[in-house]
Amino acid sequence: MKKALTVLSLALISQASAATLTVWTHFGDAELAWLRTQAAQYKAKTGDTVNIVSVPFDQIPDKLIQSAPKGQGPDLVTTLPQDRLGQLAAAGVIEPMDKYVTSKTDLDKTAVNALTYQGKLFGIPMFAEAVAVVYNKKLVPSAPTTWSAFLATAQKNTGSGKFGYLADLSNAYMQYGIVSAYGGYVFKNTGGTLNTKDVGLANAGADKASAFLNDLRYKYNLVPEGVDGGAAKSAFVDGRLAMFLTGPWDMGDIKKAGVDYGIMTFPTPPGASGKWSPFVGVQGTMLNSYSKNKAAAAAFARQISSSDAQVAFNKAGGRIPVSLSARTKLKADPVVVGFGKSISAGTPMPNVPQMGAVWGPWSNAIAQSVQKPNQNYGQILDKAVQEINSNIK
């Protein structure tokens, strides 16, 4: 009898200590099924219940800011991108997670930096994306690693309705790797802190970057006027394009087309002071600072960002994992390997609210820089930065 009471008491204690977590997610289809499987595994291991609630991606930040202080929000959000991090941290609705993450050695450093705001880690990274050069192995048997070899390969494959290299030259996001290589930057980064009063999009390096983009069209005659991402992808899947700057989002169509492809980083452009370093977008799991189950929620966040979980997540939806050991386990997947290298070489897209003031003026300036030969790049970029600074103020 005494033994039975002891067993009953332990069961009651276990039930009383079990947490019920609420997780908001924008995942759909296979990725949502993966998350539900993770929740079931977590419950089997801990006894904690995880309720998955679907919330549209673009509604999550505002809903979290409104509901969290009232105790009505989730315990976790899986996932949000780093460009909303500053806004959410400033609103006080997400919790620094440094104390919940005992080791960061298995996480891509670029991804960790992306989710670090004012020196604190505000999310556990789950997946990342960056652009890279996808090439047709039938036309490019081995990836060119220098600019001279890249140019020769591109020019060899240009003509008679075929193209050696195409990219959306007017797209600031897509072309940030070039800007960075020449020494341009959005906000000066000092030890992980972004100085929004120091905008480097009109310095000497940024001028050289715009000149190089212009040269791709008018000097090297590689990228005709009017080419955007859609036109470039169409040429690639048709087998008329040798090399194409794009992101993981186009790989589904490329695979369906049956193209034998490879993926590489863009070579260091001529006269650049650094290597090509594209923007990296990172999404991670964020912890509600008003949650009453922080330890349990953080434990679930750690589980779904673990190496094995990220492998399963990649197989569910094709996302590029930020776990280095997960990438090793997926080393037979050329998409993971190729874009993984690009992510590791990249620069995190600024995670401060002021980034919203940058896109419009900067995008217009990049587009204007490639509209005709030999532009006054300094004048174009100076005007854009003046507008950016006035928007920030």
Side-chain angles (χ1 to χ4, degrees), residues 335-360:
V335 175
V336 172
V337 174
F339 285 107
K341 289 178 180 177
S342 183
I343 289 163
S344 294
T347 300
M349 195 160 51
N351 59 16
V352 293
Q354 291 87 344
M355 191 62 192
V358 174
W359 286 116

Side-chain angles (χ1 to χ4, degrees), residues 98 104 116-122 191-193:
D98 301 89
K104 302 173 188 173
T116 300
Y117 179 73
Q118 295 184 346
K120 297 178 181 178
L121 183 69
F122 275 94
T193 299

